[in-house]
Amino acid sequence: MTDIHMPRLSDTMEEGVIAAWRKQVGDQVSRGDVVADIETDKAIMELEAYDDGVLEKILVAEGETVPIGTPIAVLGDGSGVSSEPEPAPSAPSEQSAEDTAEQSAPRTNGVPAPTEAPVAQPQQDAGAPPKPKASPLAKAVARELGVNLADVQGTGPGGRIIRADVEAAAEQQQAAQPAAPQPAQPAPAAAQPARGTEDVEEVPLSRIRKVTAKRLTESKQQAPHFYLTSAIDVTELVEFRATLNERLLAAGGPKVSINDLVVKAVATALRANPSLNVSFAEDKLLQHKRIHLGVAVALEDGLVVPVIRDADRKSVSEIAAEAKEKAVRAREGKLRPDEMSGSTFSISNLGMFGIEEFSAVINPPEAGILAVGAVKDEVQVREGEFVARKIMRVTLSADHRAVDGAVGAAFLQQLTGLLEDPLRIIA
């Protein structure tokens, strides 16, 4: 028999969630078959089998979280097929005082009593209805709201129960039950948010949100950030983009966004200022010879940063096509781990939300990130006259352990020159 383990599917992954089992106990499995979907800290990835055989046991149920390296299933020749799920090895859960007392009691003849599963799950009878399928978040919300998933009609893919289904069922339950009279209580000493009431909802952190919180907290605590802001006149850039898109559409190519032009300009500026394309590594700096740009993409439950490799060697249209394709797959949770790692510098753009300027947190181990704001019409004085110009503000966040202020200023000066004279971007 061969154990299938929870794999490490990204460089920051420490544990994973079984999002769905593609194969069931007794199914024939061939090398390369997808046996399960694994929710990592960055996306939902497909787990492929490395051997041929029969799936004999599933050790971790859908929705459960286990550390990397934990056995999650058993592959064999079919002789050991078991229809009963077995609990996966996991960290011990919190127990009540009674449970602790029972475990510490003397054992008969020195032989420990059989260990019971943390939660008793009765074996399903042949005539019993199948266990409803639900997303991990839906299960967590159901536990919070006291909703029985067996009473919920799923509206997700394949009838899968999603969070909205659980919340709708909870509202129906509340509407069907009359409000119980509440005894008078003394006024509280201090106003505190009540848990478990309709005014407060506890939402479990997604895998992406957990890792984002951890890494960016470490970044702010360990990397001394400094910030430099430039107001760039992008009037010619906006006109250049419009002309370029007309020609690209006529040739059947992809449209180019302002952000695509910024990405190309940043890559060009980094090539001219390699001192910013570095990483701090305690007693040394890592000078990156290639320019791989991470472009932040906002998701409903967190943030991912797809990487455009060798951005300085690609045309603007190539960058546009790649950025759009990876952004779509990022929102679908279909990016591969290697497509979200290895960046040497990052770009975050909130201009589409009308944000004029902001400061971004450095994505470690990089030494800098550029925050891009919206393009706004502003009145400026040119040759003694008031003129309307389109202005875009960008803010560089840099790690002062690796980069000095003058280096950051030189980079922004180079970037400003490129964006104000856009023909140089494609030259």
Side-chain angles (χ1 to χ4, degrees), residues 141-299:
V141 174
R143 288 193 297 268
E144 176 72 22
L145 301 179
V147 174
N148 185 354
L149 290 177
D151 300 331
V152 180
Q153 181 66 39
T155 61
R160 190 178 184 87
I161 298 173
I162 59 177
R163 173 183 174 181
D165 301 329
V166 176
E167 292 175 341
E171 291 178 359
Q172 293 177 359
Q173 289 182 1
Q174 291 179 356
Q177 296 178 356
Q182 299 292 332
Q185 296 181 356
Q192 296 180 352
R195 295 183 60 186
T197 70
E198 60 183 13
D199 296 331
V200 178
E201 177 186 7
E202 291 187 358
V203 181
L205 292 180
S206 66
R207 303 293 311 146
I208 295 176
R209 177 64 62 192
K210 286 181 180 179
V211 173
T212 300
K214 179 181 178 182
R215 287 174 60 81
L216 296 188
T217 298
E218 291 174 350
S219 176
K220 288 292 285 186
Q221 290 176 340
Q222 298 174 8
H225 289 48
F226 73 87
Y227 309 96
L228 301 173
T229 301
S230 288
I232 304 175
D233 186 340
V234 294
T235 306
E236 279 74 23
L237 182 72
V238 172
E239 296 173 354
F240 174 76
R241 171 183 175 253
T243 302
L244 181 61
N245 280 335
E246 289 179 0
R247 297 185 179 181
L248 288 174
L249 288 175
K255 292 182 65 176
V256 169
S257 68
I258 291 292
N259 200 58
D260 298 326
L261 291 165
V262 170
V263 170
K264 178 62 176 177
V266 167
T268 303
L270 284 174
R271 178 59 65 197
N273 297 270
S275 296
L276 192 57
N277 196 43
V278 298
S279 296
F280 180 79
E282 298 303 333
D283 60 344
K284 57 183 176 292
L285 290 180
L286 303 180
Q287 178 71 62
H288 303 293
K289 297 182 179 180
R290 298 168 65 185
I291 297 173
H292 304 321
L293 296 184
V295 182
V297 174
L299 306 180

